[in-house]
């Protein structure tokens, strides 16, 4: 979900959905895990410094997810040319805003849990030490993560391929959706993620820590859930040492999704909170709809 998770992966390394046995959309007879998202979802998060929701918010993250997408949403640009991904079934659009820091617009196409392509535009809002704005375009060719980075200030970008294989991989931008697809008691032990800035692939491991509670920032009294909610906590960290602090993701329990009225729409296990290094994301609002 997070746009600067690649930075987190690098930090945690010195550190940060092809499921081989399972998948996440209840629309496929071969799928062995629970469905996880509705035909249309909107999730809004407040961003705080550190794991401290008492301090003032420093930004917002808005996630818009569409499933069963039509042909008009199955296209992304790579190197100036529009590519069509006919097998795409999911489109995620994220907007992250941090005043005087950055603005990030990301579009992700996936076939159920398999990432197909991403397009990320990072706009640097703090120009005191130069303009680090860039565009990252990428797609999977079946065995490799193919990428292209261009900088707006004219510096030399980079492009290439990173071998990730045909299974047990995902993109940095799609990581939280990928993990969301798994059953709580069987989160992926190892997953490859390509880092285009280093030109390498790293392996991250997930572990289910157990149930806990999280205080959301949902204030709308008309919402069926608000305040403190029950969650399953998942840790994500490098598979090999040094593991670093890792990332904490608090996925809504099925009971809470049922209470929210989203369970029947297949919208389950969406994150109520994410903690990445010195940044935390806390759920402020949610909406799920079915096209039927």
């Amino acid at each position: 979900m997070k746009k600067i998770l690649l930075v987190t992966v690098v930090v945690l390394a010195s550190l940060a959905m092809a499921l081989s046995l399972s998948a996440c959309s209840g629309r496929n007879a071969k799928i062995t895990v629970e469905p996880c998202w509705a035909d249309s979802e909107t999730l809004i998060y407040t961003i705080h410094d550190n794991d401290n929701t008492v301090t003032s918010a420093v930004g917002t993250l808005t996630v818009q997810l569409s499933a069963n997408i039509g042909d008009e949403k199955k296209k992304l640009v790579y190197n100036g040319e529009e590519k069509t991904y006919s097998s795409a079934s999911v489109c995620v659009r994220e907007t992250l805003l941090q005043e005087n820091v950055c603005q990030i617009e990301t579009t992700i196409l996936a076939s159920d849990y398999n990432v197909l392509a991403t397009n990320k535009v990072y706009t640097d809002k703090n120009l005191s030490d130069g303009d680090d704005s860039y565009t990252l375009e990428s797609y999977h060719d079946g065995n490799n993560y193919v990428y292209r980075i261009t900088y707006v200030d004219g510096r030399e970008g980079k492009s290439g391929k990173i071998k990730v294989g045909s299974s047990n991989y995902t993109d940095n931008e799609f990581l939280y959706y990928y993990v969301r697809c798994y059953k709580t008691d069987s989160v992926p032990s190892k997953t490859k993620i390509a880092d285009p800035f280093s030109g390498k692939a790293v392996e991250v491991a997930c572990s289910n820590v157990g149930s806990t509670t999280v205080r959301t920032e949902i204030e709308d009294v008309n919402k069926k859930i608000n305040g403190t909610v029950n969650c399953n906590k998942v840790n994500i960290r490098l598979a090999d040492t040094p593991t670093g602090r890792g990332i904490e993701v608090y996925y809504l329990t099925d009971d809470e999704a049922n209470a929210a009225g989203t369970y029947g729409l297949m919208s389950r296990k969406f994150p109520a909170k994410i903690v990445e290094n010195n940044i935390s994301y806390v759920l402020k609002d949610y909406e799920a709809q079915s096209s039927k």
Side-chain angles (χ1 to χ4, degrees):
M1 173 176 298
K2 178 68 168 53
K3 308 300 155 300
I4 57 175
L5 180 57
L6 282 173
V7 175
T8 303
V9 169
V10 173
V11 170
L12 295 177
S14 331
L15 189 59
M17 273 170 166
L19 308 179
S20 60
L21 297 176
S22 57
C24 90
S25 165
R27 304 172 181 89
N28 188 320
K30 295 181 180 180
I31 287 170
T32 60
V33 299
E34 300 164 317
C36 60
W37 45 55
D39 291 332
S40 175
E41 285 185 0
T42 299
L43 304 173
I44 300 175
Y45 296 85
T46 301
I47 304 173
H48 294 272
D49 281 330
N50 300 310
D51 187 9
N52 185 357
T53 58
V54 177
T55 60
S56 299
V58 298
T60 60
L61 170 65
T62 301
V63 179
Q64 294 177 307
L65 184 150
S66 301
N68 295 321
I69 58 175
D71 292 343
E72 72 282 357
K73 289 187 177 181
K74 297 184 177 184
K75 302 175 182 179
L76 274 182
V77 173
Y78 185 85
N79 196 18
E81 296 184 6
E82 190 174 70
K83 292 174 63 69
T84 299
Y85 300 88
S86 57
S87 63
S89 59
V90 178
C91 177
V92 180
R93 299 186 188 277
E94 297 183 344
T95 300
L96 184 149
L97 298 171
Q98 282 187 267
E99 188 175 358
N100 300 321
V101 178
C102 66
Q103 175 175 330
I104 309 173
E105 301 281 351
T106 305
T107 302
I108 308 163
L109 291 180
S111 176
D112 288 333
Y113 49 87
N114 283 307
V115 178
L116 299 174
T118 61
N119 189 309
K120 173 179 175 181
V121 179
Y122 177 96
T123 303
D124 191 353
K125 296 293 186 179
N126 181 6
L127 305 180
S128 59
D129 56 351
D131 190 350
D132 290 325
S133 302
Y134 66 87
T135 296
L136 167 63
E137 300 168 339
S138 68
Y139 66 91
H140 288 267
D141 67 4
N143 199 47
N144 301 286
Y145 172 89
V146 184
Y147 68 93
R148 182 173 182 269
I149 302 172
T150 55
Y151 293 93
V152 300
D153 64 359
R155 83 181 84 167
E156 184 178 0
K158 63 184 300 187
S159 60
K161 293 183 179 181
I162 302 173
K163 186 176 180 179
V164 292
S166 59
S167 62
N168 298 322
Y169 72 88
T170 192
D171 283 7
N172 174 68
E173 289 77 14
F174 199 63
L175 178 60
Y176 301 139
Y177 309 101
Y178 173 77
V179 175
R180 178 181 169 185
C181 291
Y182 281 88
K183 291 182 179 179
T184 303
D185 58 357
S186 60
V187 291
S189 58
K190 286 188 177 181
T191 302
K192 282 186 178 179
I193 298 177
D195 179 359
F197 294 93
S198 69
K200 299 178 180 180
V202 298
E203 279 193 335
V204 296
C206 301
S207 59
N208 176 27
V209 179
S211 59
T212 186
T213 58
V214 165
R215 181 160 184 81
T216 70
E217 296 185 6
I218 301 172
E219 300 176 350
D220 187 347
V221 295
N222 294 317
K223 295 289 182 180
K224 294 183 178 179
I225 62 168
N226 53 64
T228 300
V229 296
N230 295 315
C231 295
N232 291 307
K233 180 181 177 181
V234 174
N235 278 351
I236 303 173
R237 60 183 67 241
L238 279 182
D240 299 321
T241 57
T243 59
R245 175 185 173 184
I247 300 166
E248 301 170 355
V249 190
Y250 298 81
Y251 291 99
L252 209 67
T253 65
D254 284 350
D255 287 344
E256 289 287 6
N258 190 45
T262 63
Y263 187 98
L265 302 175
M266 297 196 300
S267 179
R268 302 160 69 177
K269 296 186 290 186
F270 49 83
K273 182 180 179 181
I274 300 168
V275 180
E276 295 180 356
N277 265 3
N278 62 341
I279 295 289
S280 62
Y281 303 82
V282 181
L283 185 65
K284 185 176 179 61
D285 200 5
Y286 69 92
E287 195 69 49
Q289 295 180 339
S290 172
S291 61
K292 298 179 181 179

